Amino acid sequence: MIKKADIFTLIIGLFLVLVSPSLVQAQSGLTILDSSAEAEFPLKLRFNLSAESDDDITDIRLHYTVDRESYAQVSSEVYLEFMPDTTIDVKWVWDMRNMGGLPTGTSVEYWWTVRDVNGNEIETTPVSARFDDKRYPWQSMTEGKVTIYWYEGDLSFAREIMLATQQALVRLTEDTGAYLKKPVKLYIYADARDLQGAMIFPQEWTGGAAFTRYGVMVIGISPGNLSWGKRAITHELTHLVVHQMTSNPYTDLPAWLSEGLAMYAEGELEAGYRNILKRAIAGKSLISVRSLSSPFSANAEESYLSYAQSHSLVEFLITGYGQGKMLELLNTFSEGSSYDGALEKVYDFDIDGLNTIWKEKVALLARPSEVKATNPFQLSEEKWMQPALVGMLSKLPHRIVVF
């Protein structure tokens, strides 16, 4: 039998649950009147707080965490400056230009602590704020661990994108054993201009980006440019998958392996890349594998050669030693192994050994008499530049967004 006192307690409990989390009152009279967060994508996230007390409020702090991959539970704290008073209205603006920005769809959890002159303190319940690009009427489609967002093009366009995504995942697993461990989101902008409007300080050639710690990819694909779009999606999606497979707090993948896997996943190496690789082989001007372990050069031709060599190195390892060895290599890197240590454990040679064996293999690919003396970039500028630039810019978001 339920007693009247129990019923009263239950009613009070239900009432407290239904009260807005932004309206919190301490026994001292310290009260939170309002709390909110407003996104001004992609530049700002504005936090607002109103509070009152019987005594002067002297200390207000904003705490927040960003929903992204992390190796430790970390929250940021902002101390707000204001004149003490019994009624306070404060705001703090998170200027994304200072840290490179957040991708659309990011969730930020925040809460406040407020203290008055007598030491009375109140803490609000954590609330989630979405940092969304609301400029466009997004539609969505989900299959497995992949969700696609798009706003231009009909349903068949989205299905084509999803099919390309699922096929890329299947090929990646078949070739390397890598697979998606966590859900990812793909935002398809109608073109490069729309995409660049969603980024902080984009380069004029930016066509897409993979934000690996957030499991987000953004790319500009018009319905009339699906062929390039599918290759670009495959490239960036590979970065997301491989990051999930190898993420650890100690070391990143060598650049040649990260980019080589993404290039290999796209399919056969394009003619422009093949020609510049053959020229370098014939001219004995290949870049050492050890040098390719670091970020690629900003010099255009050297960068193109870096991508071509990376594709060749990954192809050499997969076709010569099999999928199982590549999966073992990724798993070894996930343990935080060094570059040399991982290769020695899996293949019994270090980076310099790989460099020697691989060069002996590719030397058969090009004899001087077979190398065209014309410009190695046989594709049109648009078709040549776009895949290369998507690969190049995939390094940019890693540097900007990870902090």
Side-chain angles (χ1 to χ4, degrees):
M1 182 175 179
I2 302 176
K3 299 179 181 179
K4 289 183 178 180
D6 294 330
I7 294 174
F8 178 76
T9 301
L10 178 62
I11 292 173
I12 292 297
L14 289 172
F15 174 76
L16 291 175
V17 169
L18 294 173
V19 170
S20 168
S22 63
L23 303 178
V24 183
Q25 183 171 5
Q27 291 182 349
S28 63
L30 185 59
T31 304
I32 304 299
L33 301 176
D34 187 46
S35 169
S36 63
E38 305 168 61
E40 298 178 23
F41 186 88
L43 299 175
K44 300 175 183 177
L45 185 56
R46 189 185 308 273
F47 297 90
N48 305 286
L49 178 77
S50 297
E52 68 178 9
S53 178
D54 295 337
D55 302 295
D56 282 353
I57 296 172
T58 56
D59 190 288
I60 296 178
R61 304 189 187 204
L62 170 67
H63 313 264
Y64 65 91
T65 61
V66 179
D67 184 14
R68 65 184 174 195
E69 179 187 79
S70 178
Y71 305 109
Q73 192 69 26
V74 177
S75 63
S76 299
E77 181 179 279
V78 180
Y79 174 77
L80 281 82
E81 296 183 358
F82 61 95
M83 292 295 294
D85 203 340
T86 56
T87 301
I88 296 293
D89 290 294
V90 294
K91 67 178 180 181
W92 181 73
V93 178
W94 187 1
D95 189 341
M96 301 297 171
R97 291 171 295 186
N98 297 329
M99 46 73 67
L102 298 175
T104 183
T106 303
S107 179
V108 178
E109 187 176 71
Y110 70 97
W111 65 98
W112 302 86
T113 53
V114 181
R115 184 180 295 119
D116 67 21
V117 68
N118 293 320
N120 298 307
E121 183 177 291
I122 192 169
E123 181 175 304
T124 66
T125 302
V127 176
S128 290
R130 295 270 300 182
F131 196 61
D132 290 322
D133 188 349
K134 296 182 178 180
R135 298 175 299 161
Y136 306 107
W138 296 98
Q139 302 179 67
S140 66
M141 175 186 295
T142 300
E143 184 176 332
K145 289 185 171 67
V146 178
T147 299
I148 292 174
Y149 298 87
W150 85 103
Y151 58 87
E152 186 165 309
D154 57 19
L155 192 59
S156 64
F157 168 74
R159 286 173 177 159
E160 284 273 352
I161 296 292
M162 181 62 82
L163 178 61
T165 300
Q166 297 300 327
Q167 289 175 339
L169 291 173
V170 171
R171 288 197 306 272
L172 188 59
T173 301
E174 290 175 348
D175 291 338
T176 69
Y179 61 94
L180 275 180
K181 294 183 176 182
K182 303 174 185 177
V184 296
K185 296 180 287 189
L186 279 60
Y187 289 86
I188 311 299
Y189 285 84
D191 53 39
R193 179 178 297 180
D194 284 1
L195 168 68
Q196 291 165 16
M199 303 180 73
I200 304 291
F201 307 129
Q203 300 294 326
E204 61 181 9
W205 42 256
T206 300
F211 297 84
T212 53
R213 292 180 65 187
Y214 300 83
V216 170
M217 186 181 84
V218 294
I219 190 166
I221 306 174
S222 67
N225 199 20
L226 262 176
S227 179
W228 170 81
K230 289 177 181 179
R231 290 185 71 95
I233 283 176
T234 299
H235 189 109
E236 298 302 336
L237 183 62
T238 300
H239 282 303
L240 296 184
V241 175
V242 172
H243 176 80
Q244 289 187 10
M245 292 292 296
T246 62
S247 178
N248 70 86
Y250 306 108
T251 185
D252 294 322
L253 285 186
W256 65 264
L257 181 57
S258 176
E259 294 300 338
L261 286 168
M263 294 286 288
Y264 187 80
E266 289 184 41
E268 184 180 353
L269 193 62
E270 292 187 303
Y273 288 109
R274 289 199 306 270
N275 287 336
I276 197 171
L277 178 61
K278 288 181 179 181
R279 282 169 58 99
I281 295 169
K284 298 183 179 181
S285 57
L286 290 169
I287 305 168
S288 72
V289 178
R290 192 167 293 279
S291 295
L292 289 175
S293 297
S294 301
F296 295 165
S297 170
N299 175 273
E301 187 162 348
E302 188 173 341
S303 178
Y304 300 150
L305 177 58
S306 297
Y307 282 99
Q309 282 192 221
S310 297
H311 178 284
S312 181
L313 282 162
V314 167
E315 182 179 47
F316 168 72
L317 291 176
I318 292 176
T319 59
Y321 298 88
Q323 179 245 49
K325 286 290 187 181
M326 179 55 69
L327 178 59
E328 186 181 350
L329 181 64
L330 296 178
N331 288 335
T332 302
F333 273 117
S334 74
E335 298 168 356
S337 178
S338 67
Y339 298 167
D340 285 314
L343 286 169
E344 287 173 342
K345 178 180 179 181
V346 178
Y347 297 103
D348 293 326
F349 49 69
D350 61 9
I351 289 178
D352 296 326
L354 172 61
N355 187 69
T356 300
I357 297 170
W358 170 74
K359 282 186 176 180
E360 291 174 354
K361 178 74 173 179
V362 299
L364 304 175
L365 294 179
R367 298 183 179 90
S369 60
E370 297 176 348
V371 179
K372 297 179 181 180
T374 57
N375 187 333
F377 309 113
Q378 298 299 312
L379 306 178
S380 68
E381 181 179 1
E382 178 183 5
K383 291 184 178 179
W384 164 250
M385 291 297 287
Q386 288 286 10
L389 290 175
V390 168
M392 290 169 64
L393 62 89
S394 71
K395 303 302 293 182
L396 181 61
H398 301 178
R399 293 198 301 266
I400 289 180
V401 180
V402 177
F403 63 96

